[in-house]
Amino acid sequence: MRIFCIHTLEDPKSIAGGIRAKESAAKLGLEVELFSAVFYKDADKVADKHGLKIKYKGVPGRRTDFINMTCPRVRIGNGLSHFLLYKKCIEIKEPIVILEHDAVFLGLPPTAIDSKEIVQISSHKPFQITPKLWHTSGRSKKMRQFGSQYDIDKLDKHFLWDWPEKGIIEHPLSGTVGTSGYIIGHEAAARMVSYLTKDGLGFADRIREDHIGKGNLKLQVPQSVICMNDILSTSNLG
């Protein structure tokens, strides 16, 4: 299974993060391929090439404004980078691992998944996440406030008992927590490409169960990747 880590060649901190991810993987006998992110200045050109509509206006800073449809411009480049890797996954017809530049391996990811699945392997935090922490996450709160009965039943099902010490479980949330580390099968990638081509691309944090089919979103317990959250892209501030 090929492992890709997205990093931005125009950002020295991002380059260093990609190297750190690669070195952490090598300690476990894994090989990481560094994947050059779409730079925000090239976002419109790349989107036009692939027939994608960009839904948000990219702006400097770190704030996403859902009312005025603006978001940090590097997030659009990040979303496009994930999209290109989905197309790579479809091309090679086998699952791939997608990481971001602040990912660090602590353990081994699953060696195989169903082609229809996405398996989150990262905690999106500098530590591994417990059921209690995810039960109070923003995604969990949105599911209870805005979700269907299916969403609420899904939450209760997974938080009424302890998770297994190790293994792959149905994801307790309706979407991944961040995009710092996940495995995607080629059929799931095809569904993501179809969804994004039809609906338009916002940014990368849009991996939801309803985009790939119920029951196809999974979670590795414990997560094999943590997310250091220590790289603030310098290209985001100018």
Side-chain angles (χ1 to χ4, degrees):
M1 186 183 301
R2 295 173 69 178
I3 303 173
F4 296 93
C5 180
I6 299 170
H7 72 153
T8 305
L9 291 177
E10 294 81 359
D11 188 337
K13 292 181 179 178
S14 182
I15 292 173
I19 293 171
R20 179 178 62 186
K22 190 177 178 74
E23 290 175 344
S24 72
K27 293 177 182 178
L28 297 167
L30 303 171
E31 181 180 355
V32 167
E33 301 177 49
L34 297 179
F35 184 84
S36 298
V38 175
F39 194 46
Y40 71 88
K41 292 182 179 179
D42 300 322
D44 288 336
K45 179 174 64 177
V46 174
D48 287 345
K49 179 180 177 180
H50 292 276
L52 284 173
K53 175 182 70 175
I54 296 179
K55 298 177 68 174
Y56 290 77
K57 179 182 178 181
V59 296
R62 304 187 68 187
R63 183 172 177 268
T64 297
D65 185 335
F66 294 103
I67 296 176
N68 295 307
M69 299 293 285
T70 64
C71 76
R73 55 194 181 188
V74 294
R75 295 192 76 187
I76 296 173
N78 189 41
L80 285 166
S81 302
H82 283 256
F83 177 84
L84 294 180
L85 282 171
Y86 298 156
K87 299 199 82 171
K88 169 69 76 175
C89 180
I90 296 167
E91 176 189 331
I92 64 177
K93 293 185 177 179
E94 63 181 43
I96 64 171
V97 179
I98 300 178
L99 307 173
E100 294 177 354
H101 57 196
D102 48 2
V104 172
F105 275 97
L106 293 183
L108 295 173
T111 56
I113 68 166
D114 187 278
S115 61
K116 297 182 178 68
E117 293 178 348
I118 290 177
V119 180
Q120 181 172 353
I121 64 170
S122 168
S123 65
H124 203 56
K125 297 286 185 182
F127 47 83
Q128 291 168 326
I129 294 292
T130 64
K132 181 179 179 181
L133 286 171
W134 275 16
H135 199 200
T136 57
S137 69
R139 169 58 42 189
S140 175
K141 292 174 182 176
K142 286 181 181 178
M143 288 172 69
R144 291 199 180 279
Q145 185 175 0
F146 303 110
S148 64
Q149 188 60 47
Y150 170 83
D151 288 331
I152 295 171
D153 291 344
K154 182 181 176 76
L155 281 174
D156 290 340
K157 173 183 175 182
H158 286 287
F159 291 116
L160 286 175
W161 60 76
D162 290 335
W163 292 353
E165 289 187 8
K166 190 174 183 180
I168 304 298
I169 66 170
E170 181 183 7
H171 206 297
L173 303 179
S174 59
T176 62
V177 179
T179 52
S180 58
Y182 59 98
I183 306 172
I184 185 167
H186 70 271
E187 291 187 70
R191 293 191 68 163
M192 286 298 296
V193 166
S194 176
Y195 157 68
L196 292 170
T197 301
K198 179 181 178 181
D199 193 66
L201 186 136
F203 32 80
D205 298 356
R206 306 185 72 195
I207 300 175
R208 303 284 181 260
E209 185 180 39
D210 56 357
H211 299 157
I212 60 171
K214 288 183 178 180
N216 289 327
L217 187 63
K218 308 291 185 179
L219 174 68
Q220 182 187 22
V221 180
Q223 298 82 50
S224 54
V225 172
I226 59 173
C227 177
M228 300 306 291
N229 288 321
D230 60 352
I231 300 175
L232 175 62
S233 177
T234 55
S235 63
N236 202 30
L237 301 177

